[in-house]
Amino acid sequence: MSNKKLLEMLTPENSQLIIIDHQPQMAFGVQSIDRQTLKNNVVGLAKAAKVFNIPTTITTVETEGFSGYTYPELLSVFPDHKILERTSMNSWDDQNVRDSLAKNGRKKVVVAGLWTEVCNLSFALCAMLEGDYEIYMVADASGGTSVEAHKYAMDRMVQAGVVPVTWQQVLLEWQRDWARKDTYDAVMDIVKEHSGAYGMGVDYAYTMVHKAPERVKHGERIGPNPAK
C-alpha cells in the first residue's frame, strides 16, 4: 500500500465493510476484550455502516456444526442481508466472499472479525496480496483468544500495511463534518446507545443544557418526601 493511500480518509463512498464470524462459539474463546463490549462495538459499527449506506458483507463459518448463529442484535441491523457461509478459516478462500467484495468496487475494506490471529489475519494478508485491497482492521470490534494473540496478530498485520482503527473512529470518520445534517441525528443515536461515557455526555448535554426531553418515556417522577 502506498503512503498516498494511507493518507486517504475513509468516506462513505470509498469504503466497504466485512463482518467475519461474529458467532457465539467464536466469541466464547475471546479473551482479549470483554465480550459484551465486543458485541456492543460490532453492533455499533454495523449501525454506522447502515446509516452511511456502506456495502456490507457478513460471513460465517460452520454455523450449525460448531459456531452458532450470528448475534441477533447484529442481524437485526441487516434483517434482509444474505449471510455467506464457509468451511474455511480464511474468508478469502471462499469465492462467494471474494465476489461480494469485488462487486462493490471499493478497495478500502473495513474488517471486524473473530478471531484476530486466525480469521482476520489470514483474510487481511491474502486480500492485500491477491486482491490489492486496503485493509482497515477494527481492533475493538475484533477479538483474539488471549491479549497476546490479539496484540501480536495486530502487530503482524500493521507491519504488513494494515491500518488499525476503532469502531467509533470509523463512525466519526464517515461523518467527518457535523454540518452533514442528513446523518447527524442517526450518528448521535448510535453514540448515545453504544459509545459509553461519550454517549452519556451527549444525553446529559441534550437534556440538561439544551433542555431536550428525555429520550425514554417513563412514569411520573415523585419528589422527595422528608420524614416528619
Side-chain angles (χ1 to χ4, degrees), residues 1-225:
M1 195 189 309
S2 69
N3 286 333
K4 183 178 180 180
K5 293 296 184 183
L6 287 172
L7 294 174
E8 290 176 352
M9 300 286 286
L10 291 172
T11 71
E13 293 73 36
N14 69 12
S15 310
Q16 60 176 306
L17 171 66
I18 184 169
I19 296 172
I20 301 173
D21 302 349
H22 272 277
Q23 301 163 263
Q25 184 63 45
M26 302 304 296
F28 294 161
V30 169
Q31 298 292 325
S32 63
I33 182 173
D34 174 77
R35 283 164 284 193
Q36 188 62 38
T37 300
L38 172 70
K39 184 164 72 170
N40 172 79
N41 294 351
V42 74
V43 173
L45 178 65
K47 289 180 178 179
K50 187 169 186 178
V51 165
F52 290 100
N53 296 312
I54 306 298
T56 300
T57 298
I58 301 175
T59 182
T60 54
V61 64
E62 292 290 341
T63 294
E64 295 187 355
F66 177 75
S67 299
Y69 295 103
T70 303
Y71 316 141
E73 297 90 344
L74 184 54
L75 293 180
S76 70
V77 180
F78 301 111
D80 300 318
H81 237 59
K82 292 180 180 178
I83 299 174
L84 306 182
E85 178 76 2
R86 316 180 324 277
T87 60
S88 59
M89 287 181 277
N90 183 355
S91 299
W92 185 257
D93 290 342
D94 189 273
Q95 187 64 51
N96 288 330
V97 172
R98 295 198 300 272
D99 289 347
S100 178
L101 297 173
K103 75 178 182 181
N104 295 323
R106 303 178 181 197
K107 286 299 186 180
K108 294 186 183 296
V109 182
V110 178
V111 181
L114 305 178
W115 296 324
T116 316
E117 69 270 27
V118 182
C119 304
N120 291 16
L121 181 129
S122 59
F123 169 80
L125 297 185
C126 290
M128 292 171 68
L129 178 64
E130 300 175 22
D132 197 33
Y133 286 103
E134 304 154 34
I135 303 298
Y136 293 75
M137 189 62 59
V138 189
D140 61 351
S142 301
T145 55
S146 68
V147 172
E148 291 81 6
H150 177 79
K151 171 185 166 25
Y152 290 118
M154 290 295 298
D155 287 349
R156 181 179 173 188
M157 287 188 282
V158 170
Q159 289 170 355
V162 171
V163 181
V165 291
T166 61
W167 82 268
Q168 188 168 263
Q169 176 186 353
V170 173
L171 166 69
L172 298 181
E173 199 160 324
W174 282 335
Q175 175 65 24
R176 189 165 180 166
D177 188 339
W178 293 123
R180 294 178 175 172
K181 296 304 181 183
D182 55 330
T183 52
Y184 178 90
D185 288 339
V187 167
M188 284 294 98
D189 286 343
I190 294 170
V191 165
K192 285 183 280 189
E193 187 170 358
H194 293 279
S195 292
Y198 177 30
M200 295 178 201
V202 171
D203 264 332
Y204 182 87
Y206 274 31
T207 56
M208 305 304 290
V209 178
H210 301 291
K211 305 305 179 185
E214 293 177 81
R215 60 189 174 99
V216 176
K217 292 182 180 180
H218 54 80
E220 181 183 2
R221 182 176 287 107
I222 306 300
N225 186 13

